[in-house]
Amino acid sequence: MELTQTESGERTAVVGCSGRLNMVAAPQLRSYLTDTINGGRDRIVVDLSETTFIDSSGLGALIGGLKTARQHGGDLRIAAPNDQVRTVLRLTNLDRVLRPHDTVDDATRGW
Amino acid sequence: MPPVAGSYRLEGLAVPQSLDELHQLLAQVAVDHPDVNAEDLSMLETATIEIAGNVVEHGRPAGKVIYNFSLTVADDRLLGVLADSGEEMAEDPDRSAPLHTAESGRGLLLAQAVLDELTYARTEEQNYWTMVRVRRG
């Protein structure tokens, strides 16, 4: 998995996550999100358009990032997940707390 | 030539890199069997990675567990069997959904949700997880 910060504002960061988000990659994403939020950008969009696969560890990293962002007064949103990611979110009921946005632009609307 | 049923096998040490090998195996199945519905294969892959991830993370003695995965593409189903040489796994008796804010504890629940059948068995020397995804497409 590769992480990129494709766009940033004063409080906003768009984190691109390409490849497989499984138990190997999840700690890397978790750490990256924590560092980004602690660095002052507490409005995070995780761009999943290049994420090919997610498992429960990856979901845990996203939930961890969401909690950290909210503790800092911000939020974490996800954008452009593929069918596998959408299905996994739905089957775990996490789409209620991590509602998928179709695009990064949709996700950042209102910020 | 019409697609035919096929079997695949993979074995090795249950370490994090094994997950990549399993992903690659599933990708090969997709190439060999374009008739298999992409969602069916994707859901079997999801379950396989969850169960294998459990073996990698919790298998004891750590770093010394040998796994053996077999996958069969049948006309009506995809069958995956993951065996490992680790100590008997304490099957998580609680398959209820964790809180929305929980950062772990969804693996078995997710594997069960994407499959039509998930069973665990223990022989004298191995753990066996059997995964069945009935083909929709």
Side-chain angles (χ1 to χ4, degrees):
Chain A
M1 185 193 67
E2 283 189 26
L3 296 173
T4 51
Q5 194 161 313
T6 54
E7 185 186 330
S8 300
E10 192 175 330
R11 288 183 61 187
T12 304
V14 179
V15 178
C17 181
S18 65
R20 301 183 192 112
L21 184 42
N22 59 20
M23 68 174 287
V24 177
Q28 184 187 346
L29 175 62
R30 187 186 297 266
S31 172
Y32 190 92
L33 293 175
T34 300
D35 289 349
T36 302
I37 294 162
N38 286 338
R41 293 197 171 90
D42 56 15
R43 292 173 174 172
I44 305 281
V45 175
V46 179
D47 179 359
L48 297 172
S49 59
E50 301 295 324
T51 304
T52 56
F53 181 90
I54 196 168
D55 72 357
S56 60
S57 305
L59 294 175
L62 292 174
I63 293 295
L66 175 69
K67 286 160 64 175
T68 305
R70 288 185 175 172
Q71 284 163 3
H72 283 71
D75 203 2
L76 181 145
R77 300 173 181 175
I78 58 171
N82 71 8
D83 288 344
Q84 191 264 348
V85 177
R86 284 180 184 270
T87 301
V88 165
L89 284 166
R90 179 171 51 79
L91 289 174
T92 53
N93 290 324
L94 286 180
D95 53 354
R96 297 175 188 174
V97 289
L98 281 171
R99 186 168 64 86
H101 296 265
D102 289 339
T103 66
V104 169
D105 283 347
D106 285 346
T108 54
R109 196 157 291 148
W111 280 352
Chain B
M1 183 184 290
V4 294
S7 295
Y8 299 81
R9 188 172 292 274
L10 195 61
E11 64 180 9
L13 269 180
V15 292
Q17 293 83 343
S18 310
L19 300 180
D20 282 340
E21 294 168 4
L22 287 166
H23 280 297
Q24 288 159 13
L25 180 76
L26 272 293
Q28 186 60 49
V29 175
V31 171
D32 294 346
H33 294 272
D35 58 307
V36 173
N37 179 285
E39 184 178 9
D40 287 338
L41 202 50
S42 171
M43 292 301 102
L44 185 75
E45 181 176 15
T46 301
T48 300
I49 296 300
E50 290 297 341
I51 300 299
N54 263 350
V55 174
V56 169
E57 190 171 3
H58 301 297
R60 296 293 180 272
K64 295 183 178 178
V65 175
I66 305 291
Y67 80 95
N68 184 314
F69 177 69
S70 68
L71 187 156
T72 302
V73 179
D75 288 341
D76 65 335
R77 63 188 54 206
L78 304 175
L79 170 66
V81 177
L82 184 74
D84 73 80
S85 66
E87 297 168 10
E88 183 169 5
M89 286 194 117
E91 186 183 8
D92 185 354
D94 181 6
R95 296 194 185 189
S96 58
L99 292 173
H100 283 152
T101 51
E103 295 178 38
S104 62
R106 293 186 178 85
L108 203 52
L109 178 78
L110 177 55
Q112 187 167 265
V114 298
L115 296 171
D116 295 285
E117 192 180 319
L118 173 64
T119 56
Y120 170 76
R122 172 74 190 182
T123 65
E124 278 190 16
E125 297 181 341
Q126 289 198 304
N127 299 299
Y128 281 93
W129 290 92
T130 301
M131 299 169 262
V132 176
R133 169 80 181 188
V134 174
R135 292 174 62 175
R136 272 71 167 169

